[in-house]
Amino acid sequence: MNDRCSFIYSEDLLNYRFNSHHPFNQFRLKLTVDLLNRINALDPNQIVKPRMATEEELTLIHDPSYVEAVKKAGQGLLPKEMAENYGLGTEDTPIFANMHEASSLMVGGTLTAVDEVMTGKTLHALHLGGGLHHGFRGKASGFCIYNDSSVAIKYIQQKYNARVLYVDTDAHHGDGVQWSFYDDPNVCTLSIHETGRYLFPGTGNINERGQGAGYGYSFNIPVDAFTEDDSWLHAYKNAIRDVAEFFKPDVILTQNGADSHYYDTLTHLSATMKIYREIPKLAHEIAHQYCGGKWIAVGGGGYDIWRVVPRAWAFIWMEMTENPNCFGSLPEDWIEQWQKESPVTLPREWDDPEDIYPPIPRKAEITEKNLITLEKALYPIRNHQKSESR
Ligand SMILES: [Zn+2]
């Protein structure tokens, strides 16, 4: 009997929209839901509407003055110079009408997923509208206004008194969530991302291990540019297993930004659909091994909304619901429907062709570098485990 699962969704989530040319485009949610519907993988009974987050919940993490600023900005009442102090009105995070309401719904969606799982109503919950991991206490950053994962983790702690393992596989460092819990030993953050030497936000180095009581509960695996599937998966599989064994969480929250793919124009990694099949598979396994199955998954980055995100995110739901119907050809009618609107040729298969990109000359060097990075990142817990086993 498959695990009970909740899919948090409503078209109102598409209101989180900066402008017509901004790379962050929640139309990808609609494309993903339509793909799942075309293969009958989404039972209407599994769909749960997101609720609005309350101000009290937002201020579990965000400064009340920041929330006030976002509100004013959405009403066109925030002066330009003040907006910049809050990271609003920038090229990355432009102001749009009703941005407070749209962002509160996005956070509410993740809180809805939390309540579905933590009350035991379902074992797994997916909110693809969430995953905005760059949001800071008092500042917007990197397309992220309110940080739904940080708010959700604080909410889990306060309402359910649980220890949370946060795993972020977005190509960008999960900085906002890391800093929110940098001194908290009851939250363990693991981020695997493209090295900050080449990519925003520039943080996420191995030595960001936490502070005070939280020292040793923050893990970062900055992989090299042009990293391919095998090297990426080696890092992911070793890191998530060792960190989960070390921390033994009560619940796992995974952020699934789909921007590590070779097609993604905002990043420099060379992954394919292969990693997006494996990521949820291992998260699922870890959730059952340590958390009685308690697994909350959110979206994140992903800027090729036609060729990458719908397939990558569909894999999460297919894994959650243990639905094997995602091999071979994509549904013809989905391609027909969306090829008309897509600026690029849509893929015809769930998986990418072997020759999706030309061989990368520095492959061996990159693989070696990532191995060393992984060793260094996990050294404290591997050393700890060794001394324990002696
Ligand atoms: Zn990203």
Side-chain angles (χ1 to χ4, degrees), residues 133-134 170-172 259 267 301-303:
H133 58 167
H134 297 307
D170 192 288
H172 299 89
D259 49 5
T267 66
Y303 306 102

Side-chain angles (χ1 to χ4, degrees), residues 254-267:
T254 61
Q255 193 271 16
N256 297 271
D259 49 5
S260 297
H261 192 279
Y262 171 74
Y263 285 153
D264 201 287
T265 51
L266 266 59
T267 66

Side-chain angles (χ1 to χ4, degrees), residues 200-238:
F200 174 93
T203 51
N205 300 308
I206 297 169
N207 56 14
E208 293 166 26
R209 297 185 189 280
Q211 72 189 11
Y215 185 80
Y217 293 91
S218 166
F219 296 87
N220 286 289
I221 320 276
V223 297
D224 210 359
F226 309 110
T227 289
E228 300 171 74
D229 290 336
D230 296 344
S231 178
W232 194 96
L233 284 170
H234 180 267
Y236 172 67
K237 290 181 176 175
N238 280 277

